[in-house]
């Protein structure tokens, strides 16, 4: 409950409002480079958009032929480039409070003067907090989409990827396939050798899957011992071949298990996306195919045929 006596009388203050209006106009139209840079950078948390703004503002002060930025964030390389090189360059490692936030390089045909280098450094000082925030935002987003045990995409990442893939398959008519791959009798491994060994096998499986796939294919940990693989431009016959190949890769894993090395097999279910099919239906068909592979005795692949 508000204390009514503390509420100020509801009268307008024309002088203050006029000052606010002036201040807003100044803020909006400022010719102060640093203030404008800070204002523009604060409008976005997209690192790409921030670097575009920085490049735009910087080229007004210190013309350059190209700007390149590179930073490894949450195990992925973030690269931004604009323009085409030149023989002279200046490079800055961006850091704040002991943390690195990437390397920014400018190239130009003419040498950079001392005054220009000082100008660039001043602008980078004005941008660094914003760049730090954008880098941290990417890292947080990445963490939310990554499975902590294996380092590959998690269920949430798969859900988002399935949405995008369904939309693209419908728009472009290109085939997309989904493989669900589940380790066989994994409970026995945990029961007989412990969870640490089970975890190790899951991590090795993720590694093997990534090695066995093309760069355009993406792999996710979908559940405990279940993985999903999304394959663009791949029909169901090709996806079946991929599924058999990855089962072979998983079977080649050897883990120290006492007297004899431990091995593991997997079952796979394959479904190709159907026109206008919702992601959940697509996933359900792949799951049904996986169920059939398990029912058929495991260590095999089954396809949910798009034409029966
Ligand atoms: N070590 C480890 N085990 C997990 C993890 N997530 C799930 N599991 C285990 O995976 C096992 C899955 O067991 P089930 O669903 O019965 O499947 P299964 O034994 O592989 O049998 P089928 O799938 O029918 O071949 C359970 O023992 C879970 O505890 C994990 O992150 N680490």
């Amino acid at each position: 409950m508000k204390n009514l006596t503390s509420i100020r009388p509801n009268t307008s203050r024309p002088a203050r409002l006029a000052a606010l209006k002036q201040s807003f106009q100044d803020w909006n139209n400022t010719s102060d480079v640093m203030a404008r840079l800070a204002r523009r950078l604060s409008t976005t948390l997209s690192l790409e958009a921030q670097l575009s703004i920085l490049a735009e503002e910087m080229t007004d002060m210190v013309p350059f032929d190209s700007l390149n930025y590179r930073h490894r964030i949450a195990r992925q390389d973030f690269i931004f480039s604009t323009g085409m090189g030149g023989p002279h360059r200046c490079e800055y490692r961006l850091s704040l409070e002991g943390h690195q936030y990437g390397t920014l390089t400018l190239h130009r045909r003419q040498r950079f003067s001392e005054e220009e280098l000082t100008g660039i450094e001043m602008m980078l000082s004005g941008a660094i907090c914003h760049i730090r925030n954008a880098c941290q935002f990417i890292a947080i987003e990445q963490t939310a989409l990554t499975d902590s045990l294996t380092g590959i995409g998690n269920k949430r990442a798969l859900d988002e990827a399935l949405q995008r893939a369904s939309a693209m398959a419908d728009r472009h008519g290109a085939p997309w396939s989904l493989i669900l791959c589940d380790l066989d009798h994994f409970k026995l491994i945990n029961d007989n050798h412990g969870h640490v060994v089970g975890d190790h096998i899951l991590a090795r499986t993720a590694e093997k899957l990534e090695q066995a796939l093309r760069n355009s294919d993406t792999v996710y940990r979908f559940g405990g011992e279940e993985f999903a693989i999304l394959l663009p431009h791949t029909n169901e016959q090709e996806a079946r071949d991929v599924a058999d190949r990855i089962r072979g890769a998983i079977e080649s894993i050897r883990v120290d298990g006492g007297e004899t090395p431990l091995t593991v097999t997997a079952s796979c279910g394959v479904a190709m996306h159907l026109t206008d099919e919702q992601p959940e239906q697509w996933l359900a068909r792949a799951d049904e195919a996986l169920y059939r592979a398990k029912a058929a005795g495991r260590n095999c692949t089954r396809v949910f045929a798009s034409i029966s």
Side-chain angles (χ1 to χ4, degrees):
M1 181 87 177
K2 272 189 179 147
N3 178 1
L4 290 177
T5 54
S6 73
I7 295 176
R8 293 182 178 205
N10 194 9
T11 50
S12 70
R13 292 156 184 257
R16 285 192 185 187
L17 285 175
L20 173 63
K21 192 172 166 194
Q22 186 58 48
S23 161
F24 178 76
Q25 279 167 357
D26 293 348
W27 176 75
N28 216 18
N29 306 319
T30 182
S31 56
D32 175 334
V33 184
M34 294 301 284
R36 192 178 60 228
L37 177 67
R39 177 173 56 75
R40 291 188 68 199
L41 291 175
S42 69
T43 60
T44 178
L45 265 179
S46 153
L47 185 53
E48 193 177 355
Q50 287 192 356
L51 291 166
S52 300
I53 292 170
L54 181 63
E56 239 175 75
E57 293 287 346
M58 213 178 244
T59 198
D60 262 3
M61 296 292 125
V62 184
F64 57 81
D65 292 320
S66 77
L67 179 151
N68 296 290
Y69 171 89
R70 174 183 283 273
H71 188 30
R72 190 156 178 82
I73 310 174
R75 303 210 289 177
Q76 285 187 12
D77 285 324
F78 180 95
I79 294 168
F80 175 91
S81 278
T82 178
M84 292 281 282
H88 297 283
R89 70 173 198 156
C90 55
E91 185 168 284
Y92 296 92
R93 275 177 219 283
L94 308 184
S95 69
L96 188 66
E97 293 162 356
H99 296 278
Q100 301 296 321
Y101 295 106
T103 303
L104 187 133
T105 314
L106 295 172
H107 281 94
R108 199 167 77 171
R109 272 158 288 180
Q110 298 85 32
R111 256 176 205 292
F112 293 94
S113 70
E114 282 306 316
E115 290 74 31
E116 285 178 319
L117 293 176
T118 308
I120 294 168
E121 282 158 30
M122 287 190 285
M123 293 191 83
L124 290 178
S125 305
I128 183 67
C129 285
H130 300 276
I131 290 176
R132 185 248 346 248
N133 295 349
C135 289
Q136 290 184 344
F137 186 61
I138 293 176
I140 290 166
E141 270 190 320
Q142 241 354 82
T143 305
L145 296 171
T146 304
D147 172 55
S148 56
L149 176 65
T150 59
I152 62 177
N154 60 16
K155 167 88 170 71
R156 198 179 139 201
L158 174 66
D159 288 342
E160 290 184 7
L162 280 174
Q163 290 278 359
R164 283 195 300 272
S166 300
M168 279 205 271
D170 284 338
R171 196 172 321 131
H172 305 297
W176 279 76
S177 289
L178 172 65
I179 302 174
L180 292 187
C181 174
D182 187 285
L183 301 183
D184 295 326
H185 300 304
F186 193 66
K187 186 171 181 313
L188 284 179
I189 294 204
N190 275 331
D191 291 349
N192 296 338
H193 302 275
H195 257 73
V196 173
V197 172
D199 283 357
H200 182 59
I201 290 179
L202 290 171
R204 293 288 311 278
T205 301
E207 265 170 42
K208 282 280 179 188
L209 288 175
E210 286 197 309
Q211 285 162 10
L213 295 165
R214 289 179 302 190
N215 277 346
S216 53
D217 304 334
T218 43
V219 55
Y220 307 86
R221 185 166 171 221
F222 172 55
E225 35 33 302
E226 192 167 356
F227 296 83
I229 300 109
L230 253 180
L231 309 155
H233 302 288
T234 309
N235 64 31
E236 61 196 22
Q237 184 50 53
E238 292 161 338
R240 170 194 277 276
D241 294 343
V242 175
D244 286 339
R245 196 172 74 228
I246 61 182
R247 286 194 308 99
I250 291 171
E251 223 173 333
S252 73
I253 295 172
R254 296 284 177 277
V255 171
D256 188 3
E259 285 170 18
T260 48
L262 269 178
T263 58
V264 63
T265 63
S267 304
C268 289
V270 174
M272 191 175 83
H273 183 261
L274 303 177
T275 314
D276 291 333
E277 187 175 42
Q278 292 303 307
E280 313 80 63
Q281 295 168 311
W282 185 15
L283 190 60
R285 286 192 306 110
D287 201 34
E288 171 63 26
L290 173 61
Y291 175 80
R292 289 180 202 165
K294 291 278 181 185
R298 298 175 173 79
N299 193 16
C300 63
T301 301
R302 288 292 179 269
V303 177
F304 194 115
S306 53
I307 303 165
S308 49

